[in-house]
Amino acid sequence: MAKIVVQVDHCKGCELCVEACPVGCIEIDNEVLNKLGYHPAKYKGTGCTGCGICYYTCPEPDAIIVYKKNEREAA
Amino acid sequence: MAKDILKKPDALYEVYHRKPGEDKKNIHYCPGCGHGVLHKLIAEAISDFGVADRTIMISPVGCSVFVYYYFDTGNIQAAHGRAPAVATGLKRANPDTIVISYQGDGDLAAIGGNNILQAANRGENITVFFVNNAIYGMTGGQMAPTTLVGQKTMTTPYGRSVQNEGYPIKVVELLATLESPAYLERCALTDAKNIAKTRKAVRKAIKCQIDGKGFSLVEVLSACPSGWKLTPVQAKKWITDRMMSYFPLGVTKDVIDEREGYHPEKVKLTGDRIEEILGLKKEKLFRDKSMSEVPEQYRNPQIKVAGFGGQGVLLLGQTLAEAGMRHGWNVSWIPSYGPEMRGGTANCQVHISENDIGAPVVDFPNILIAMNKPSLDKFEPTVQPGGIIFYNTSLIDRKPERDDVETVGLPFTDIGDELGSLRFANMVVVGAIIEKTRLLDEDIVKEAMKEVIHNKKFIPDNIVAIERGMAEAKKLE
């Protein structure tokens, strides 16, 4: 199953990924304040198709990693 | 090849050691800024093409001045707007290098407007990524050449007005009017579709350079949420709603497929070759001479040579300066002439000195050469007492009025004409100067003359002219 991992301390909370995700599986985590002082993005945990749109929308090089397949299969 | 994992490309450093401060893992751009996206797209392409080791990124002035923090490639930071000139040098010195100029709208379209125009027109085989966010971001949101009509910025608080600031510059359309560029496209970092198109354009532009097809530029409409005072999501929408109608997306020029790849060899310059080019290899006649051997009034002289353009006035001065240098002295030579090549007034100013020369200007000469009447009229009063005036009696129907200077009047033009050409008149003067001042040695002057005269077939005649000048001056005694 595809998934994304948000590296919390790289996210600046711009919400572009939230807005861009075609299946709406990313949200802003208002419970967390990261080291940079932002509420970071969070994967809802299901629904990711591994399309990669969030990765290319995100301005931060390190904030989002997309695993198009199961992490174990990919490795 | 589709990748299974999408993460930071290898062409970006894992840790940004060059970045000052504690945080060496995060880029410095504001939330929602388009630079980060474009950095990722460029880095991904460089990594995928396997050219990171031979790529040089050129950072501009602007927010992206710190491109060199992030890219694991060669990096140079250029003066404001001058990235295309730096890129030109890098590419020409090392044609194998992949040179990428990364510039913003203030940098590229304002202060560097002519730089990019000329680089594009020369068809330099470089790739330029032009980030257009319609504002000066780094300096606090002032109007840029690309600021939209009506757009409020710090310096256009009532909105950009056509009457006051004109219309925004459309860079890719402008460059598309030139023959040389190979590939020009405008993209936008907005939705998934446009980002995918930008990704494709970035790769195409870099590939264009790798294949030796020539100049490529991709203009990227990019959000500046801070400068625009919008949220990142609003800013993205602003690009779509406001910018795209004035800056239409698409290819404005693409002749990549029509072109043969050009892959010039690297020019290798050895020390021998450089000496040859600079003329250092030639055996030259030098002779150290002390100014104490020169009559006192002509030591460390300040010389003014004046006449009509076309009389060889500048060459005369060059001959004296070259000869002075070959005596081991410091020299300077500066010309001053009108825009016309022949017929206007021309003069040159020569210093020959044992000492360091401060300013090359000669306001009060102690040697004046006046080849026509206006020159004598103008400069006679400026000659230092005890100096000498050489004047051309062929064209000057009066004698100098000064009685505190030596005067040497000879029909230089007529003598030149008699020797075969009016153009030999200047070397007749040189002969007279040798004879009268004892400043320069005859054999050295003749060698110096050979150096400054471009058309070598006139050398024998000019030697005759120098000797004739010496003889005529001697007769006056």
Side-chain angles (χ1 to χ4, degrees), chain B residues 34 170 203 210 319 337 339 358 422 431:
Chain B
K170 296 182 176 183
R203 298 169 87 87
I210 293 171
T319 307
Y337 46 85
L422 297 169

Side-chain angles (χ1 to χ4, degrees), chain B residues 26-80:
Chain B
N26 286 293
I27 58 175
H28 72 284
Y29 299 110
C30 307
C33 172
H35 278 304
V37 178
L38 187 58
H39 281 24
K40 280 161 78 173
L41 296 178
I42 295 170
E44 186 189 52
I46 292 171
S47 303
D48 289 353
F49 293 145
V51 295
D53 287 346
R54 59 185 179 108
T55 295
I56 299 179
M57 294 289 296
I58 304 177
S59 316
V61 168
C63 295
S64 47
V65 64
F66 298 130
V67 158
Y68 60 87
Y69 287 170
Y70 309 121
F71 279 84
D72 188 1
T73 59
N75 286 280
I76 288 183
Q77 198 277 316
H80 206 188

Side-chain angles (χ1 to χ4, degrees), chain A residues 19-75:
Chain A
E19 205 250 347
C21 177
V23 292
C25 70
I26 310 174
E27 62 188 351
I28 290 295
D29 188 349
N30 285 313
E31 303 298 310
V32 175
L33 203 56
N34 70 8
K35 275 186 189 167
L36 298 173
Y38 297 107
H39 293 304
K42 180 187 170 193
Y43 177 42
K44 288 180 180 170
T46 53
C48 178
T49 62
C51 70
I53 286 174
C54 57
Y55 169 82
Y56 286 110
T57 306
C58 175
E60 301 300 312
D62 283 285
I64 296 177
I65 301 173
V66 179
Y67 297 91
K68 292 188 175 181
K69 298 178 189 169
N70 186 300
E71 202 171 346
R72 211 178 302 146
E73 285 173 44

Side-chain angles (χ1 to χ4, degrees), chain B residues 127 129 183 200-209 216 218:
Chain B
T127 305
F129 293 113
Y183 171 54
K200 209 174 138 199
V202 165
R203 298 169 87 87
K204 187 170 174 175
I206 295 174
K207 186 79 182 1
C208 173
Q209 181 181 171
S216 57
V218 179

Side-chain angles (χ1 to χ4, degrees), chain B residues 158-379:
Chain B
Y158 305 111
R160 179 177 186 153
S161 105
V162 171
Q163 285 73 27
N164 220 33
E165 288 91 29
Y167 289 91
I169 294 178
K170 296 182 176 183
V171 170
V172 286
E173 285 84 351
L174 183 70
L175 297 182
T177 62
L178 303 172
E179 289 296 325
S180 298
Y183 171 54
L184 304 165
E185 180 168 357
R186 182 183 289 118
C187 304
L189 295 173
T190 53
D191 56 10
K193 190 177 115 205
N194 279 323
I195 292 173
K197 279 188 179 172
T198 309
R199 181 173 178 269
K200 209 174 138 199
V202 165
R203 298 169 87 87
K204 187 170 174 175
I206 295 174
K207 186 79 182 1
C208 173
Q209 181 181 171
I210 293 171
D211 293 343
K213 300 292 182 80
F215 185 89
S216 57
L217 181 145
V218 179
E219 175 174 341
V220 180
L221 304 183
S222 172
C224 181
S226 306
W228 298 347
K229 303 185 181 7
L230 298 172
T231 69
V233 174
Q234 288 168 336
K236 194 174 90 172
K237 196 165 178 304
W238 195 84
I239 298 176
T240 311
D241 296 347
R242 294 286 311 279
M243 288 186 84
M244 281 188 198
S245 54
Y246 187 81
F247 295 113
L249 304 188
V251 176
T252 57
K253 185 162 189 211
D254 181 2
V255 293
I256 292 176
D257 290 341
E258 297 163 26
R259 292 216 174 142
E260 296 281 321
Y262 175 57
H263 298 280
E265 290 276 310
K266 179 176 177 173
V267 179
K268 289 203 175 99
L269 279 180
T270 59
D272 281 354
R273 178 84 183 106
I274 292 169
E275 286 182 4
E276 199 184 316
I277 291 168
L278 295 177
L280 302 176
K281 286 242 140 172
K282 276 183 260 171
E283 290 295 321
K284 283 188 176 175
L285 186 58
F286 283 95
R287 183 184 306 127
D288 277 334
K289 184 173 176 179
S290 166
M291 277 289 172
S292 62
E293 298 169 47
V294 177
E296 200 174 345
Q297 66 271 37
Y298 307 125
R299 287 178 197 163
N300 303 320
Q302 300 185 23
I303 306 169
K304 182 162 261 170
V305 191
F308 291 127
Q311 284 185 307
V313 159
L314 304 186
L315 198 73
L316 198 169
Q318 280 176 335
T319 307
L320 299 177
E322 174 76 24
M325 199 157 57
R326 286 163 181 247
H327 284 95
W329 296 322
N330 295 318
V331 302
S332 70
W333 171 89
I334 51 164
S336 162
Y337 46 85
E340 56 289 77
M341 285 298 279
R342 294 197 172 78
T345 57
N347 76 64
C348 67
Q349 307 171 35
V350 177
H351 281 256
I352 300 177
S353 179
E354 272 187 321
N355 310 313
D356 292 344
I357 296 168
V361 176
V362 174
D363 287 331
F364 302 103
N366 46 9
I367 300 177
L368 171 67
I369 296 108
M371 294 298 281
N372 62 6
K373 190 153 180 289
S375 300
L376 184 66
D377 292 347
K378 188 170 177 190
F379 298 118

